Amino acid sequence: MPIGNTQPSVRPAQAGRAGGAVVTPSAHRKGARPRRARGGLRAERYAPYILVAPAVLIIVLLRLYPLLLGVNFSFTGDGEQNGTAVGFGNYRELFADPLFQTALGNVGLLVLLLPVAVAIPGLLATFIYLRVPGHRFYRSVYFFPAVLSPVIVGAIFNMLLAFDGPLNAVLSSVGVGPVDWLGDPDLAMFMVVGVHIWATFGMALVVFLAGFATLDAALLDAARVDGASLRQVVWHVIIPSLSRTIQFVFVTTMIGMLTSMFGLLYVMTTGGPEGSTYLPEYYIWIKQGQMNRPALASAASTILFMIMLVVGLLQIKLLERAGKED
């Protein structure tokens, strides 16, 4: 009587054709492994394309295709010429329009003011990083305007900068005459840009603080031991160490100025006085929303896109140069 794990007396028959070569399990495994390996390599080769395909499809359908439609639409006419090819007629009309010329001039003004828009959050982030008294409080206060709607910000500064507003009242109390901050064509654009910088520098501040997290503290300690002043620390240690962060903030701030000032312009000046505060974004809205000139607005959008493209390529160039230097 069998007891325990006694092996069966009859072994299973070998698999294979009758009279042919017998394929042993080891031979089968040797033949299957290369096939599985080839299949695995093929799947590994195509996996990145399959994973990226949905994102590429979305970008093509929702970004590139409308962009190409808009560019194509800019070469057609408006009104009775709707759908009729007019060549570069819309572009000639744009560059002959004094308002669009003013808008392009204001883009140049934004470029000139860009270092100021970057320097303010950079300096404030430096003070926070160096732990000046109350730095935790200032970190929250500085970011607070960034969460406000541009409409709210514009309404607040409309009251503050009004001809009979609080700012002119303060100036009158010290013997200075009232200033028409938003009614003077030479001042209005500077006021709008200043309010935009005040309202948005909190985001750049956060980017700078993230850059400071990567700063080597040993460099600052060495500078302090050597007796470097604050100006020397900023110029010789902080700026070189944060060069890539500064370049990123430069480009994102410029893009924000070109595409995020519509709310302030609409509430504070509505493009005035005398069209002095026009920007391409506001001009596009006027042509499309007020004058029903979609083809002309498409031409202006294409020019704005070209400006943004130059800024983007400049960013890539700067980042590549910084990477080579690293």
Side-chain angles (χ1 to χ4, degrees):
M1 181 179 183
I3 301 175
N5 296 327
T6 306
Q7 296 295 327
S9 57
V10 179
R11 293 184 177 180
Q14 296 287 344
R17 294 180 179 176
V22 176
V23 180
T24 64
S26 59
H28 178 74
R29 287 195 295 272
K30 289 178 182 177
R33 282 176 181 173
R35 286 197 294 273
R36 285 200 295 269
R38 286 196 297 271
L41 288 175
R42 190 179 299 114
E44 185 177 352
R45 185 185 305 164
Y46 290 115
Y49 300 100
I50 296 173
L51 294 175
V52 171
V56 173
L57 189 63
I58 291 174
I59 292 174
V60 170
L61 291 179
L62 301 183
R63 294 287 186 179
L64 295 182
Y65 183 62
L67 176 65
L68 293 177
L69 284 180
V71 173
N72 180 62
F73 194 54
S74 69
F75 292 101
T76 63
D78 287 316
E80 296 179 353
Q81 292 183 318
N82 185 24
T84 304
V86 295
F88 289 93
N90 289 325
Y91 293 92
R92 284 193 292 270
E93 183 178 348
L94 276 179
F95 287 108
D97 189 345
L99 286 178
F100 192 71
Q101 295 173 3
T102 302
L104 292 181
N106 285 334
V107 171
L109 178 63
L110 295 182
V111 174
L112 294 178
L113 295 176
L114 185 59
V116 178
V118 175
I120 291 174
L123 287 176
L124 295 177
T126 301
F127 294 145
I128 291 175
Y129 178 76
L130 296 177
R131 298 179 182 279
V132 297
H135 63 279
R136 296 182 186 277
F137 171 75
Y138 292 129
R139 180 184 300 178
S140 303
V141 169
Y142 291 156
F143 187 73
F144 178 70
V147 302
L148 294 177
S149 165
V151 175
I152 301 299
V153 173
I156 292 172
F157 278 90
N158 257 350
M159 292 187 291
L160 293 176
L161 300 175
F163 191 75
D164 55 351
L167 181 59
N168 278 334
V170 172
L171 293 178
S172 298
S173 65
V174 295
V176 179
V179 180
D180 195 359
W181 301 103
L182 299 177
D184 188 340
D186 297 328
L187 286 178
M189 193 63 202
F190 289 98
M191 292 298 104
V192 176
V193 174
V195 172
H196 175 77
I197 293 174
W198 176 86
T200 59
F201 79 88
M203 294 302 297
L205 182 77
V206 172
V207 176
F208 273 118
L209 291 176
F212 274 113
T214 65
L215 185 62
D216 187 0
L219 294 175
L220 292 177
D221 294 338
R224 291 193 186 99
V225 171
D226 291 341
S229 63
L230 177 61
R231 184 186 63 81
Q232 291 171 325
V233 170
V234 171
W235 188 255
H236 296 292
V237 179
I238 293 179
I239 291 180
S241 301
L242 298 181
S243 59
R244 301 190 71 173
T245 302
I246 295 172
Q247 292 161 7
F248 177 78
V249 173
F250 256 95
V251 176
T252 53
T253 303
M254 187 66 210
I255 293 174
M257 283 181 164
L258 290 176
T259 61
S260 303
M261 290 185 63
F262 175 81
L264 287 179
L265 292 175
Y266 186 81
V267 174
M268 294 182 68
T269 64
T270 59
E274 302 174 6
S276 60
T277 57
Y278 263 66
L279 283 174
E281 183 185 17
Y282 191 80
Y283 183 91
I284 292 168
W285 180 80
I286 289 292
K287 294 302 177 185
Q288 168 62 29
Q290 299 290 316
M291 303 181 69
N292 194 24
R293 299 287 308 274
L296 190 64
S298 296
S301 300
T302 303
I303 293 175
L304 178 60
F305 169 74
M306 295 302 295
I307 295 174
M308 305 291 291
L309 182 63
V310 171
V311 173
L313 292 177
L314 180 62
Q315 176 193 22
I316 295 173
K317 191 70 177 178
L318 291 174
L319 292 178
E320 287 180 349
R321 181 179 299 176
K324 291 178 181 177
E325 291 175 356
D326 291 341

